[in-house]
Amino acid sequence: MSFSITDYLNREFNIQLHEQQKEALDAVQGPVLLLAVPGAGKTTVMVARIAHMIANCGIAPENILTITF
């Protein structure tokens, strides 16, 4: 049974992702570029994507590279 990251964010923090953010969260094959204006939720999506990759996709944390600036 997979863990719903979007349900958790909504239930615990009242954070709702829109469709483009959900699409980025679900993209686990290969690199993803999150490009948006300040305050658009890039960090939230990035953290949620990493949690999804670990909890639902079986990807080991040491195999995930995240770069932000």
Side-chain angles (χ1 to χ4, degrees), residues 3 12 16 24-25 30 34-36 47-48 50 53 63-64 67:
F3 174 74
E12 297 296 324
Q16 297 178 9
L25 185 137
L34 297 174
L35 183 62
V47 171
I50 293 167
M53 293 168 74
N63 292 330
I64 299 171
I67 300 172

Side-chain angles (χ1 to χ4, degrees), residues 5-51:
I5 302 299
T6 54
D7 288 346
Y8 175 77
L9 288 173
N10 189 13
R11 182 180 63 249
E12 297 296 324
F13 305 105
N14 198 30
I15 295 173
Q16 297 178 9
L17 303 179
H18 59 68
E19 289 305 313
Q20 288 177 321
Q21 290 172 319
K22 289 177 185 177
E23 185 179 333
L25 185 137
D26 290 333
V28 296
Q29 296 297 321
V32 170
L33 173 64
L34 297 174
L35 183 62
V37 298
K42 293 178 298 293
T43 301
T44 300
V45 171
M46 182 179 64
V47 171
R49 181 175 183 255
I50 293 167

